Amino acid sequence: MLQTLLRARFPRSLHAQLMLSLLVLCTLVAGTSAFFLLEHAREGRIAELDERANRIADLLSQSLAQPLWNVDRDAITRQLNVLKPNPEVVSFTVTATNYGVLADASNAPMPDPQARVVRVRPIEFTPPGNAPPEKIGEVRVVLTRAAADRGFEAARAAVLGTLALVLAVVYVTTFLLLKHLVREPIRRLEEMVDRIASGDLDSRCAIESSVELGRLAARVNVMAERLRDSTASLRESERKYRSIIENSLEGFFVLDRNGKLCDANPAMAQLLGYRDVQGMITAPRDDAGAVHAKPQPFSSGKTAQLFAMLQLTGKIAGLEIELTRADGTAVWCQLNARGIRYDGAAPQCLEGQLTDISGRKQAMEILTRHRDQLEEEVRERTRTEQLLRHSREQLRQLSSHQESIREEERRQIAMTIHDELGQLLTAIKINVSLLKLALSQGAEWQQKVGDIGGLAERTIDIVRNVASHLRPAALNFGLLSALEWLVQDFTRHNATVCTFLLEGREPSLSDDRATAVFRIVQEALTNVSRHAQASHAEVVLRCIHNHFELEVHDDGNGFDVAKAIRGDSYGLQGMQERARMIGAQFHIESRDGPGSTVRIVFNETTENVSRALPADSELR
């Protein structure tokens, strides 16, 4: 409060402040000096009054000894009246030891105790001879300080008057000097600085002296020179900057926190579909309730998101953002921006650059789509190559296995023909020779003929059996007859009961495809016979829409299909390969538990079967 009051009351002018400061300083110095001088003079006068009172008291104590000894009142009174006219004297009192007050001379009323100067001296009489002095009375001197004070007041008034006159002369003289030496040069300097501040950079201050104000004027002139050069450089830089921004092919803009564009360049307006920059900046907003409001490129939510990113990272670099053009269409841009701060607060505006990347975005999308398509094709090709390599390996192993099977079949056929068929033919030959001998000798021949017939029948059975294993004759009458014969033959030679069931019509297949289906079923029943330990097996052929499904199911022990494949189960591989050769889907369902199911799905033609079944390589 005191500081505010002082600022309000204190003069604003430097000249007035200096004069007031000088007046206060001189007053304090002169007043303090006068006070101490007057006090010193007053103390000197009081000391003189005390000294005078001592001298008067000593004088009276000596001069009144003889009159008092003689008790001469008149002589005492005359001496007192001699000193009584002095203005400092208030009263003289002489007292005898045995008689009391002998004389009392008063010159003025008794003042206050603080204004009195009292001295009391004993009066002694010295008798003749060597007798000691004898006190015979005392004298009391009372002086007043009033006269000294009156003289001091007059002197103080004269001193203060003189001091005031001197201060007035010094003040006026200093006022005129400061006005001439300080106030006028400062006023002229202020006028020049105001002209420079208003834009007149060619104005210069007159240097009238070499003292501080002259040096200040020289520095102001130097500052004006540098300011003019800086202003010219700044204008040139602004011209270059404006030229670069105006002619740039990329959009530059300044955006505030409310989503309003404060400034932009023509490329920005062209990018967003506006005629000019002013039309883009002054375009009515959607949220302003305008009838023909155009969509703003920066919505409130998008603006808040940009400022949040700016607050978090300090800048925005390489941000791909989708903006809305004046006609409502979308355009993809790359945004680079930084914040504009005022007074160290949070960014109030966003200064950014926009680059149209719609074409690049579209090309990237096409490239990404082609890349995804190429990756899918590469994956498909890789998978196909893996399947092909796997199939080749399986085919090689299967070919080797089939070759070994063929060699085993040849060996079995050779052994059968050599051991059984050869023995039978040899027995027939021997019997024929014996029959000839018997006929030539006329012996019994009917028994031999019967033995030869039996041997011939056994030979025929062996030949039929070998022929059936090489190719069942039932295949000549269709797949259905072959499957029925296979089921009957399996039941006749195994303890497992096997049944065949047809659901729908019979498929019409070529000889090769029918043979392949027959061999798959034959291999499946062979596996049931060898490994399943089943009590019942079932072969089902059903017609479903335009394709056929054949299942071989048993209630025996299940097995781990994947483990069997990894264990080089050539029987399963052979079934898969036969199914692939005729364009069928092959599937096995089996677990460690009761039952297994082998399923193939095929068409009457060689087209691949498209059905929601697992792939050939998928086994559960």
Side-chain angles (χ1 to χ4, degrees), residues 598-615:
V598 177
R599 180 187 298 113
I600 59 172
V601 180
F602 57 92
N603 287 330
E604 291 181 328
T605 61
T606 57
E607 296 177 358
N608 290 332
V609 178
S610 87
R611 186 170 180 256
L613 288 175

Side-chain angles (χ1 to χ4, degrees), residues 195-261:
R195 292 176 61 183
I196 294 173
S198 63
D200 187 6
L201 300 180
D202 294 327
S203 298
R204 296 294 179 270
C205 300
I207 302 175
E208 299 177 352
S209 65
S210 60
V211 294
E212 286 79 0
L213 291 176
R215 293 196 296 270
L216 179 60
R219 284 180 172 82
V220 171
N221 291 337
V222 173
M223 180 190 70
E225 290 285 345
R226 293 179 179 176
L227 185 60
R228 183 182 62 181
D229 296 341
S230 299
T231 304
S233 177
L234 181 62
R235 288 174 179 172
E236 180 65 20
S237 299
E238 183 179 1
R239 185 190 65 78
K240 292 181 180 179
Y241 168 77
R242 181 56 60 181
S243 176
I244 292 173
I245 295 299
E246 294 292 335
N247 299 324
S248 176
L249 299 179
E250 297 180 346
F252 291 89
F253 66 95
V254 177
L255 180 71
D256 63 8
R257 284 185 171 272
N258 298 323
K260 179 177 176 57
L261 287 172

Side-chain angles (χ1 to χ4, degrees), residues 65-349:
Q66 188 64 38
L68 183 59
W69 176 262
N70 296 324
V71 192
D72 188 355
R73 291 180 181 268
D74 294 334
I76 295 172
T77 301
R78 282 195 302 271
Q79 289 187 22
L80 295 179
N81 289 331
V82 173
L83 299 176
K84 179 180 177 182
N86 291 326
E88 294 90 355
V89 176
V90 175
S91 65
F92 296 129
T93 305
V94 179
T95 306
T97 301
N98 297 325
Y99 299 99
V101 177
L102 295 180
D104 186 6
S106 297
N107 193 29
M110 187 64 64
D112 294 334
Q114 291 82 5
R116 303 177 198 172
V117 178
V118 180
R119 295 291 184 270
V120 179
R121 294 288 187 273
I123 301 174
E124 297 178 346
F125 177 75
T126 304
N130 295 324
E134 180 182 356
K135 180 181 179 181
I136 60 175
E138 63 181 8
V139 59
R140 185 172 184 269
V141 178
V142 178
L143 301 183
T144 180
R145 297 177 180 176
D149 290 340
R150 285 192 298 271
F152 177 75
E153 291 293 336
R156 182 169 59 185
V159 171
L160 291 178
T162 304
L163 183 61
L165 180 61
V166 172
L167 286 177
V169 172
V170 171
Y171 182 83
V172 172
T173 304
T174 307
F175 178 83
L176 295 176
L177 289 175
L178 288 177
K179 181 179 179 181
H180 177 71
L181 298 176
V182 177
R183 180 179 177 183
E184 289 300 324
I186 289 178
R187 184 185 60 79
R188 290 191 294 270
L189 187 61
E190 287 178 348
E191 291 178 356
M192 253 345 122
V193 171
D194 291 339
R195 292 176 61 183
I196 294 173
S198 63
D200 187 6
L201 300 180
D202 294 327
S203 298
R204 296 294 179 270
C205 300
I207 302 175
E208 299 177 352
S209 65
S210 60
V211 294
E212 286 79 0
L213 291 176
R215 293 196 296 270
L216 179 60
R219 284 180 172 82
V220 171
N221 291 337
V222 173
M223 180 190 70
E225 290 285 345
R226 293 179 179 176
L227 185 60
R228 183 182 62 181
D229 296 341
S230 299
T231 304
S233 177
L234 181 62
R235 288 174 179 172
E236 180 65 20
S237 299
E238 183 179 1
R239 185 190 65 78
K240 292 181 180 179
Y241 168 77
R242 181 56 60 181
S243 176
I244 292 173
I245 295 299
E246 294 292 335
N247 299 324
S248 176
L249 299 179
E250 297 180 346
F252 291 89
F253 66 95
V254 177
L255 180 71
D256 63 8
R257 284 185 171 272
N258 298 323
K260 179 177 176 57
L261 287 172
C262 302
D263 194 8
N265 66 336
M268 177 77 173
Q270 183 180 2
L271 175 63
L272 298 179
Y274 288 88
R275 282 185 154 183
D276 52 16
V277 175
Q278 191 63 27
M280 178 179 63
I281 294 177
T282 59
R285 298 174 57 87
D286 291 334
D287 52 5
V291 178
H292 301 290
K294 295 182 179 180
Q296 293 297 310
F298 296 97
S299 62
S300 300
K302 193 168 295 183
T303 303
Q305 182 180 3
L306 290 177
F307 275 93
M309 293 176 60
L310 192 65
Q311 185 72 22
L312 183 62
T313 61
K315 65 179 180 179
I316 301 175
L319 175 64
E320 294 186 358
I321 186 172
E322 185 179 13
L323 301 179
T324 306
R325 296 169 55 90
D327 55 1
T329 60
V331 57
W332 278 95
C333 301
Q334 186 181 59
L335 174 64
N336 298 292
R338 63 180 181 87
I340 302 178
R341 301 175 182 268
Y342 300 101
D343 300 331
Q348 300 299 319
C349 293

